[in-house]
């Protein structure tokens, strides 16, 4: 993960506005030359800081105790001074959390020694990261500290003081987003301790409601600021793509109201792993940071329009594509197009392309047209944002969906074909762009989308009766190149909760849910009564083996109860002994219709099922009303629940069973 951080310090001793890049993604770290190029851009666009935290630099994380060798030191010294020359503050981060023993003074000394070494390189700003680590403390630390938070805070405070309380010192907590907090942000013991005990000069990183947050609201920041006792610095993963090799994010910085600016110490963005495709991510973030009210704006946010920011960024990016970066590479295509045969060099002996002039009935020479702004808009639409496809991508998906379901559609099929052709043309022009470095970073992605769109195009042609029915699109056994695969994808598709959801059919949910044990004050009984359960006798409900409730920001919005032994609970229905033998336990679940995101309920159920299984149960029953399409659909998507025939049940009841 690479992080580009923009920081403001408007609220305390820190009065200047700072903008940061964070170089902290998983994957091949950027080269020193690319980092220097980044500083140039930061300076040009008014971003003023850079967090050095490459997860796969082994001395940043895995071998954090090891000092840098003279050769590495030289590189870091150059990098730090290059940053300074561009007025970019270099922040050195270290992630010792994989294996540090907090209570051992030798470990604390090792950490100080490492920071001291980097301080000698000329670095003045530092950061301690505890993201993505195990939360279980070792026995020695358990003895020495009340909690994990106490251990982390103690070491952070000590290092901060040892370094002379630097102006910039960032702390990344282990619970760095709302969805990681137990039971929720305002009651998280971990965050409350961090807020209470971490020295005020230290800033805290926060990714928002989720690791990759769709939206970040002002209210959510106010809530976490109260707990942390300081405004956070946002670590924004909106453009991070290190978690999926097929994704790239070329959409604008978005869904963060500019009202946030005064509520934060800064924003740090963690963009795509590839260096060059981050032009839009960084440029639009810079525009967002400089937001000023625009009287003519009809956007939701009067200070920032993602669409306008994107167009400005793409217009500038286009110029970079057109600059040749390698001797002997393609020229600016416009100059090639201008050539007419009479201007050609004198006859060449090898009959190379430059000397060849096709005759009247021969194939014309392949001409590469220059890349256009429209091409880049299309590219950005195809690789937009984690929770949103760009408008053309959405239209293409909707059209394909429509074409699959309808038959009267010749003109729409034609339109779909044209959209596919535009992708191919964009690909061709991009492949001929003079700047090869940008192209190489984009190449895998554009090949992949071209082939995906190509398959859809062939399929629509086949449906329309045009073109030969294509074997690899229509048949159930395509060749490997006819579908996206790999072992990882196969594993994911086998899991009930796999994330292969179509964005255009299931717009993302931004709500944060809390799942916690049921307590007597919970008013879930009326929910249960609404459900009119038959299997569970509500007049004398037995003590559940495990009961969980789900809350959203309003109140309880769902529950799940599990009974280890179904028999005493199912007094209203005669269950056959063989059914009870296979499915001895009972589950009852309800989720209110306002919860459109199925994932929290899935998580709640899997917790219950694993608890039943651990206690020795071999199967579980549950009931659904025939008319309750929503819950039926929900259970069917879980995959493990199958209908069971039970004689004598009322017609509108379906009993489902799952083996554990
Ligand atoms: C994370 C990691 C980050 C990674 C991102 C996206 C934080 C604080 N840590 O959880 O390094 O790039 O997810 O995969 O965000």
């Amino acid at each position: 993960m690479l992080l580009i951080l923009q920081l403001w310090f408007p609220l305390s001793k820190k009065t200047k506005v700072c903008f940061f890049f964070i170089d902290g993604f998983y994957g091949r770290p950027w080269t020193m030359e690319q980092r220097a190029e980044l500083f140039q851009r930061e300076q040009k666009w008014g971003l003023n800081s850079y967090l050095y935290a490459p997860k796969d630099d082994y001395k940043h994380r895995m071998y954090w105790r090891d000092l840098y060798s003279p050769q590495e030191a030289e590189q870091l010294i150059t990098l730090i001074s290059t940053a300074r020359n561009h007025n970019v503050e270099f922040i050195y981060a270290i992630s010792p959390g994989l294996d540090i023993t907090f209570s051992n003074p030798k470990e604390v000394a090792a950490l100080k020694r490492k920071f001291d070494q980097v301080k000698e390189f000329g670095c003045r700003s530092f950061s301690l990261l505890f993201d993505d680590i195990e939360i279980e403390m070792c026995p020695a630390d358990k003895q020495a500290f009340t909690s994990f938070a106490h251990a982390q805070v103690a070491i952070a405070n000590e290092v901060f003081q040892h370094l002379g309380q630097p102006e910039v010192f960032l702390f990344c907590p282990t619970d760095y987003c709302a969805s990681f907090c137990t039971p929720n942000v305002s009651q998280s013991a971990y965050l409350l301790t961090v807020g209470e005990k971490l020295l005020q000069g230290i800033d805290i990183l926060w990714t928002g409601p989720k690791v990759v947050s769709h939206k970040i609201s002002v209210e959510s920041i106010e809530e976490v600021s109260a707990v942390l006792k300081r405004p956070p610095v946002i670590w924004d993963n909106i453009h991070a793509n290190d978690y999926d090799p097929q994704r790239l994010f070329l959409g604008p910085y978005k869904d963060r109201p500019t009202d946030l600016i005064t509520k934060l110490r800064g924003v740090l963005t963690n963009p795509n792993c590839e260096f060059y495709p981050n032009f839009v991510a960084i440029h639009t973030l810079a525009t967002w940071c400089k937001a000023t009210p625009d009287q003519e704006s009809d956007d939701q946010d009067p200070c920032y329009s993602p669409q306008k920011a994107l167009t400005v960024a793409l217009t500038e990016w286009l110029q970079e594509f057109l600059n040749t970066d390698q001797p002997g590479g393609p020229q600016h295509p416009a100059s090639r197009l201008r050539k007419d045969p009479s201007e050609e060099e004198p006859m060449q002996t090898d009959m190379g392309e430059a000397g060849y002039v096709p005759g009247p009935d021969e194939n014309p020479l392949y001409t590469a047209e220059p890349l256009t702004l429209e091409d880049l808009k299309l590219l950005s639409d195809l690789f937009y944002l984690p929770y949103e496809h760009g408008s053309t991508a959405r239209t293409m998906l909707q059209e394909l969906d429509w074409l699959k379901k309808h038959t009267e559609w010749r003109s729409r099929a034609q339109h779909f074909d044209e959209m596919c052709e535009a992708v191919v043309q964009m690909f061709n022009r991009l492949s001929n762009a003079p700047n090869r470095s940008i192209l190489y970073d984009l190449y895998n992605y554009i090949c992949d989308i071209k082939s995906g769109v190509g398959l859809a195009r062939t399929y629509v042609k086949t449906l329309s009766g045009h073109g030969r029915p294509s074997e690899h699109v229509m048949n159930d056994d395509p060749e490997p190149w006819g579908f996206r695969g790999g072992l990882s994808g196969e594993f994911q598709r086998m899991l009930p909760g796999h994330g292969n959801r179509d964005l255009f059919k299931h717009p993302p949910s931004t709500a944060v849910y809390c799942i916690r044990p049921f307590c007597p004050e919970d008013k879930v009984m009326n929910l249960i009564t609404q459900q009119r359960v038959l299997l569970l006798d509500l007049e004398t409900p037995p003590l559940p083996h495990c009961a969980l409730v789900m809350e959203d920001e309003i109140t309880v919005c769902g529950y799940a109860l599990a009974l280890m032994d179904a028999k005493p609970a199912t007094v209203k229905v005669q269950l056959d002994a063989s059914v009870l033998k296979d499915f001895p336990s009972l589950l009852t679940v309800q989720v209110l219709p306002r919860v459109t995101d199925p994932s929290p309920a899935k998580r709640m159920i899997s917790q219950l099922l694993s608890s039943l299984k651990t206690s020795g149960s071999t199967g579980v029953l549950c009931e659904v009303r025939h008319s309750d399409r929503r819950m039926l659909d929900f259970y069917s998507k879980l995959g493990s629940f199958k209908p069971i025939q039970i004689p004598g049940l009322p017609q509108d009841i379906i009993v489902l069973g799952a083996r554990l």
Side-chain angles (χ1 to χ4, degrees):
M1 162 202 61
L2 159 82
L3 289 163
I4 298 171
L5 174 63
Q6 302 201 295
L7 286 184
W8 295 266
F9 300 119
L11 301 168
S12 64
K13 58 177 180 151
K14 297 159 177 173
T15 48
K16 65 180 176 166
V17 176
C18 299
F19 305 99
F20 280 71
F21 285 98
I22 305 185
D23 182 344
F25 55 93
Y26 292 91
R28 183 203 293 264
W30 289 354
T31 65
M32 289 296 167
E33 291 71 29
Q34 287 175 328
R35 288 175 175 140
E37 200 174 325
L38 174 69
F39 300 152
Q40 257 178 19
R41 285 176 192 215
E42 287 202 66
Q43 187 175 31
K44 185 167 160 206
W45 296 336
L47 309 177
N48 65 7
S49 302
Y50 165 85
L51 182 68
Y52 177 87
K55 284 267 192 301
D56 292 318
D57 165 349
Y58 69 110
K59 286 191 181 171
H60 156 76
R61 202 160 123 98
M62 229 177 274
Y63 295 96
W64 60 270
R65 296 175 191 83
D66 294 4
L67 294 179
Y68 288 107
S69 68
Q71 203 190 5
E72 291 161 338
E74 202 182 300
Q75 287 209 321
L76 273 174
I77 291 168
T78 312
L79 200 63
I80 293 167
S81 76
T82 314
R84 182 157 317 130
N85 293 341
H86 290 286
N87 284 331
V88 171
E89 188 63 30
F90 185 97
I91 308 169
Y92 176 81
I94 199 160
S95 294
L98 285 179
D99 62 357
I100 189 168
T101 299
F102 292 89
S103 53
N104 186 339
K106 282 191 191 151
E107 294 278 81
V108 183
L111 193 57
K112 288 179 183 169
R113 192 166 55 239
K114 185 72 171 280
F115 274 126
D116 284 341
Q117 188 194 26
V118 180
K119 197 173 175 183
E120 277 167 29
F121 299 163
C123 181
R124 296 170 307 199
S125 301
F126 303 93
S127 176
L128 201 46
L129 309 179
F130 291 113
D131 58 320
D132 299 352
I133 54 171
E134 283 304 319
I135 52 169
E136 189 65 19
M137 284 194 288
C138 63
D141 285 345
K142 275 189 189 153
Q143 279 217 325
F145 297 104
T146 332
S147 71
F148 200 35
H150 284 88
Q152 293 179 354
V153 165
I155 205 162
N157 286 345
E158 188 166 344
V159 169
F160 175 65
Q161 280 168 328
H162 171 80
L163 291 167
Q165 309 204 349
E167 181 87 350
V168 178
F169 191 95
L170 308 175
F171 172 89
C172 182
T174 306
D175 292 354
Y176 52 79
C177 57
S179 64
F180 283 6
C181 291
T182 328
N184 52 38
V185 172
S186 56
Q187 291 167 291
S188 152
Y190 173 89
L191 281 193
L192 286 163
T193 305
V194 170
E196 182 78 26
K197 307 269 182 215
L198 198 69
L199 290 171
Q200 268 302 321
I202 303 180
D203 282 312
I204 303 173
L205 296 161
W206 182 250
T207 64
K210 297 188 176 178
V211 175
V212 179
S213 293
H214 178 195
K215 299 185 182 198
I216 302 181
S217 71
V218 169
E219 298 71 39
S220 73
I221 293 303
E222 285 169 349
E223 182 187 30
V224 72
S225 302
V227 176
L228 299 178
K229 299 198 186 317
R230 72 208 78 196
V233 170
I234 294 294
W235 166 313
D236 209 327
N237 286 321
I238 181 173
H239 286 104
N241 71 340
D242 56 359
Y243 52 85
D244 182 347
Q246 272 186 302
R247 291 192 229 204
L248 180 74
F249 300 113
L250 306 178
Y253 193 65
K254 193 166 181 277
D255 294 320
R256 282 83 176 122
T258 51
D259 287 348
L260 278 178
I261 292 175
T262 54
K263 308 265 176 190
L264 297 170
R265 277 279 168 70
V267 177
L268 159 162
T269 191
N270 177 23
N272 298 289
C273 298
E274 296 82 0
F275 177 75
Y276 291 102
N278 283 312
F279 195 97
V280 171
I282 302 165
H283 196 287
T284 56
L285 176 61
T287 308
W288 183 87
C289 295
K290 289 182 273 209
T292 46
D294 173 0
Q295 306 307 339
E296 287 164 30
S297 166
D298 48 6
D299 278 286
Q300 264 180 336
D301 187 333
C303 299
Y304 173 78
S305 153
Q307 215 38 49
K308 285 183 195 158
L310 176 65
T311 305
V312 175
L314 293 178
T315 308
E316 272 189 46
W317 199 22
L318 180 63
Q319 292 316 307
E320 300 221 342
F321 273 99
L322 300 181
N323 290 335
T324 308
D325 67 333
Q326 282 168 23
Q331 300 300 305
H332 188 306
S335 62
R336 188 162 178 259
L337 279 182
R338 272 197 302 275
K339 277 191 183 171
D340 73 49
S342 61
E343 290 172 16
E344 293 286 324
E345 312 282 303
M347 265 272 283
Q348 304 207 344
T349 45
D350 63 357
M351 290 304 279
E353 181 218 300
Y356 176 69
V357 181
D361 295 330
E362 291 179 347
N363 270 333
L365 270 189
Y366 178 78
T367 49
E369 289 174 13
L371 189 69
T372 65
L373 183 59
E374 285 310 308
D375 287 328
L376 289 193
K377 282 188 177 156
L378 174 57
L379 179 71
S380 162
D381 269 358
L382 301 179
F383 295 96
Y384 204 65
L385 290 172
Y387 293 97
E388 187 180 347
H389 295 306
S391 60
T392 311
R394 268 198 319 269
T395 309
M396 290 179 83
L397 289 166
Q398 278 155 2
E399 286 299 288
L400 180 58
D401 194 46
W402 190 92
L403 292 166
K404 270 174 70 179
K405 292 179 189 151
H406 296 75
T407 43
E408 289 303 311
W409 45 259
R410 197 164 286 264
S411 69
R412 273 176 88 153
Q414 175 66 26
H415 181 225
F416 183 75
D417 195 66
E418 284 159 16
M419 286 191 290
C420 296
E421 178 58 22
V423 174
V424 174
Q425 292 304 327
M426 179 267 289
F427 174 88
N428 290 345
R429 290 190 280 265
L430 209 56
S431 318
N432 281 294
N435 192 316
R436 310 309 285 169
S437 309
I438 310 183
L439 175 70
Y440 298 151
D441 270 0
L442 290 171
Y443 207 73
N444 285 341
Y445 300 102
I446 58 174
C447 280
D448 187 46
I449 197 69
K450 188 179 102 162
S451 115
V453 165
L455 290 174
R457 191 182 194 185
T458 314
Y459 172 63
V460 170
K461 280 207 171 119
T462 309
L463 288 184
S464 73
H466 290 100
R468 256 179 326 124
S470 171
E471 268 295 292
H472 62 269
V473 182
M474 302 305 281
N475 101 19
D476 208 19
D477 184 23
E479 280 198 56
W481 52 265
F483 64 98
R484 292 290 160 267
L487 184 60
S488 166
E490 222 158 300
F491 276 126
Q492 285 181 31
R493 286 192 293 277
M494 285 170 78
L495 308 179
H498 76 73
N500 269 350
R501 264 190 285 160
D502 298 332
L503 263 189
F504 93 108
K505 279 194 191 156
H506 303 280
S509 144
T510 53
V512 173
Y513 297 94
C514 162
I515 297 170
R516 57 167 176 77
F518 167 80
C519 58
E521 299 81 59
D522 285 319
K523 299 197 179 62
V524 294
M525 265 317 170
N526 52 349
L527 272 182
I528 300 185
T529 326
Q530 275 173 27
Q531 199 187 349
R532 295 181 295 134
V533 276
L534 185 78
L535 290 182
L536 177 63
D537 180 11
L538 288 172
E539 271 132 50
T540 49
L543 269 186
H545 166 78
C546 180
L548 297 173
V549 292
M550 182 164 97
E551 281 177 328
D552 58 11
E553 63 277 7
I554 308 172
T555 175
V556 172
C557 54
Y559 71 87
L561 304 178
L563 299 180
M564 186 65 189
D565 185 3
K567 200 166 177 204
T570 53
V571 287
K572 288 193 211 158
V573 184
Q574 275 299 319
L575 289 180
D576 202 74
S578 67
V579 172
L580 282 172
K581 184 166 168 284
D582 288 343
F583 305 100
S585 303
L586 185 65
L587 175 76
T588 177
V589 178
Q590 187 54 287
V591 179
L592 292 183
R594 71 167 185 264
V595 183
T596 50
D597 178 358
S599 50
K602 282 185 189 167
R603 216 179 311 160
M604 189 161 66
I605 293 179
S606 36
Q607 272 183 32
L608 283 194
L609 296 184
S610 73
S611 157
L612 287 174
K613 190 173 176 184
T614 318
S615 308
S617 175
T618 49
V620 64
L621 292 173
C622 69
E623 70 167 280
V624 203
R625 302 252 149 195
H626 218 293
S627 51
D628 194 350
R629 305 300 315 169
R630 200 172 53 87
M631 287 310 283
L632 268 177
D633 188 44
F634 174 76
Y635 279 115
S636 76
K637 285 202 177 123
L638 288 179
S640 44
F641 284 87
K642 302 276 177 286
I644 300 179
Q645 294 308 328
I646 297 187
L649 273 188
Q651 273 213 326
D652 62 335
I653 299 282
I654 300 178
V655 172
L656 305 171
R659 292 187 192 271
L660 297 174

